[in-house]
Amino acid sequence: MSESTLVPPPPAFAASAHVSSRAAYEALYRRSVADPAGFWAEQAARLAWHRPFDAVCDADARPGEIAWFHGGRLNVSYNCVDRHAAVTPDRPAILWARNEPGEYETITFRELQERVGRFANVLRAHGVRKGDRVCIYLPMIPEIAYAMLACARIGAVHSVVFAGFSADALRERILDADCAVVITADEGLRGPKRVPLKSVVDEAVAHLDGVRSVLVARRTGAAIAMKPGRDLWLADELARQRATCPIEWVDSEDPLFVLYTSGSTGKPKGVLHTTGGYLVYAATTHHYVFDARPGDIHFCAADAGWITGHSYIVYGPLANGVTTVMFESLPTYPDAGRYWQVVDDLRATIVYTAPTALRALLREGDEPVRKYRRDSIRVLGSVGEPINPDVWRWYHDVVGEGRCPVVDTWWQTETGGILIAPLPGAIACKPGSATLPFFGVVPVLVDDDGKVVEGNDVAGNLCLAGSWPGQARTIYGDHARFLANYFARFPGYYFTGDGCRRDADGYYWITGRVDDVLNVAGHRLGTAEIESALVGHAAVVEAAVVGFPHALKGQGICAYVITRPEFDAWDREELAGALKEQVRKAISPIATPDRILLVRGLPKTRSGKIMRRILRRIAAGDFDPAGFGDTSTLAEPAVVDDIVALARG
Ligand code: 6R9
């Protein structure tokens, strides 16, 4: 695909889009950056404010001291539920696609209000007050949305932990955010598998005295252990409560949630988002990027445990009064037609998924797609990693029959919502490019020396100038780390950790992380996290983890491990297997290394720094020493030959 190949918005789509031409986009964009206060004040009118804000953005903000809509008071649950229940009570708020094909449940806005109200009363009854953190460890069942909205209703702060994380990872997150209440389910279902969530929670909270209550939703009815005085069935607790729960009006800058994500250091970061700015941003981006309107059926196939699910399954669509689909299953269960069956059955109008899923589906050919009606779809979206141009093409031509614009959306947990993406009715796409910035977003490319790279046809570290309402406010409990992580490397800018190219036409192409963060099947993982998991095994002296290109997952994980001599007698396969198990236990199956190389040494400089670029080349199957770069500072050059010999074998 040549870079200059432009795919213009389908004319029929553009004709009735919210923004229907490049010129209209540019006019609005210019306005948004010239007068952010005016622009965002208008967008804030999407929400119902209990008290109007005094200022839009604190313009004198020091780096990392961010505040939007100061003085304003509002409630996220009121905005996502009550105000729609008042005017469109019978509209579906959530369409739940259960794990088994063909099984659906509809929750209208009226029902959502009732369930969220009851749930909020349960939390109150368990002592949860404004500002308290609540851990949510649930599968993709409607209770996950009820729980999030119930927290928001009473001003509590949710910390959703993806239900694929291990007990160790869950414990770490419960401790870090100091959660006294944990909400989980007996089991989760993921395609053919059952996930024993409650027993993971039991292990995670075994010695945590701070956890007062564990509320358990019944999903499969499996026999599970309930600890008296701590564990309660959610259904029993709900039945005891009234359906109405008064709203707790909160300040715009009061926290809404914490969501843990991986960085370049070992400990996951609790990214904190606040109320007003986050919701304005989620709703505004949802409106424009997906060209959303009442009557849409928004099918985002992510898990609510990630930021994509927070912003574009729960908060964005519901704030806009749009029906959202919650998908419990897997894209390939029972076969590769599953997404399109959901689309057909529910008449979904927007589909939003990750390239890793699309790559897996593309492999199965067009037949599973063509089997189902897709004429309801208006917009197709992609998120989480760069989308390969051939996959983009397939999504556009086969899934969308050339009728639907494809929006490749670049953003991060820390950005709260989409920052770079084409507006579907306005921007001609280049497959593989996230194209142009959203309103109010000012991308800046900076070279390694901190110099801003101007003009087009350039590349650099992707930074952002200024602020946008959805920007994270801090790392929970560690503001110094927030500043150090995002604002210190390139003073005056927020640094994303991504590399990026701006082509001759000013289009942005994300080239991947420039830090020690991997993107494995759309999941963000820190190499340091995986290394410390490996070192947690008795056999391991030292470990170095790198990513390598992987046809399905985008990146695979390769671990170079030095083991203790006492383990020399062990079968190598068996030892590698034990180490994989160790990572699964410490983090999650999603972090399992694809390859473990048991090496005798790591290539280090004389000052003791691991030369990761060499390890990356070798992991990619590139053994040519010419590609290793300057190796003159290596303490023991022979180490590299040993590793190459091992990797070849
Ligand atoms: C929303 C989300 C963020 C990292 C980000 C970048 C990668 C996300 C992308 C993309 C290329 C896209 N990323 N979207 N890369 N094109 N459209 O995924 O958040 O889990 O925090 O990951 O994902 O590397 O920095 P998060």
Side-chain angles (χ1 to χ4, degrees), residues 261 306-308 382-387 408-414 420 434 496-498 510 512-513 519 522-524:
T261 191
W306 307 116
I307 191 68
T308 303
S382 170
V383 58
E385 42 175 332
I387 179 165
D408 174 4
T409 63
W410 173 84
W411 57 296
Q412 310 179 297
T413 303
E414 295 88 340
I420 303 182
T496 65
D498 279 319
I510 309 300
R513 302 289 301 199
N519 193 325
H523 301 312
R524 191 170 149 181

Side-chain angles (χ1 to χ4, degrees), residues 558-639:
C558 179
Y560 297 85
V561 180
I562 305 177
T563 51
R564 290 183 203 288
E566 303 94 277
F567 287 80
D568 282 353
W570 274 51
D571 177 69
R572 307 278 89 184
E573 291 275 314
E574 204 179 307
L575 189 49
L579 297 181
K580 287 185 185 181
E581 186 48 39
Q582 168 76 14
V583 176
R584 271 185 219 118
K585 192 178 162 295
I587 309 173
S588 162
I590 60 181
T592 312
D594 298 272
R595 251 192 120 180
I596 292 191
L597 290 171
L598 301 172
V599 298
R600 269 180 297 167
L602 290 167
K604 288 189 183 172
T605 61
R606 272 176 233 114
S607 57
K609 219 169 162 303
I610 297 172
M611 275 199 185
R612 285 170 188 276
R613 62 163 194 273
I614 298 178
L615 297 179
R616 278 190 213 109
R617 302 290 294 212
I618 296 173
D622 193 344
F623 306 125
D624 184 357
F628 294 164
D630 180 12
T631 52
S632 62
T633 57
L634 274 179
E636 285 178 78
V639 163

Side-chain angles (χ1 to χ4, degrees), residues 12 21 23 41 134 173 212 265 273 336 339 393 513 566 594 601:
S21 70
V134 172
R173 286 157 176 77
R212 287 193 308 265
T265 54
H273 284 283
Y339 275 178
R393 274 279 168 204
R513 302 289 301 199
E566 303 94 277
D594 298 272

Side-chain angles (χ1 to χ4, degrees), residues 355-428:
T356 189
L358 295 172
R359 286 192 293 266
L361 299 183
L362 186 153
R363 282 213 313 197
E364 306 296 320
D366 301 354
E367 213 274 320
V369 185
R370 299 204 199 273
K371 221 162 92 189
Y372 298 99
R373 289 183 301 173
R374 280 152 293 119
D375 57 311
S376 56
I377 304 178
R378 295 197 305 115
V379 180
L380 296 169
S382 170
V383 58
E385 42 175 332
I387 179 165
N388 330 47
D390 57 326
V391 176
W392 193 103
R393 274 279 168 204
W394 181 78
Y395 202 24
H396 180 268
D397 297 349
V398 177
V399 176
E401 301 167 312
R403 241 182 348 93
C404 310
V406 169
V407 292
D408 174 4
T409 63
W410 173 84
W411 57 296
Q412 310 179 297
T413 303
E414 295 88 340
T415 72
I418 295 162
L419 291 196
I420 303 182
L423 295 192
I427 305 300

Side-chain angles (χ1 to χ4, degrees), residues 124-192:
R124 280 221 168 110
H126 283 266
V128 179
R129 300 288 175 262
K130 180 169 184 276
D132 292 350
R133 279 81 46 217
V134 172
C135 178
I136 302 175
Y137 185 71
L138 282 171
M140 284 294 283
I141 59 179
E143 281 78 2
I144 195 166
Y146 307 158
M148 292 164 75
L149 292 161
C151 287
R153 192 168 194 90
I154 61 171
V157 181
H158 59 70
S159 165
V160 181
V161 177
F162 171 61
F165 277 113
S166 69
D168 290 354
L170 176 61
R171 180 190 306 114
E172 192 181 1
R173 286 157 176 77
I174 292 172
L175 271 174
D176 187 79
D178 191 15
C179 301
V181 174
V182 179
I183 303 163
T184 190
D186 49 2
E187 291 183 316
L189 293 171
R190 276 179 72 71

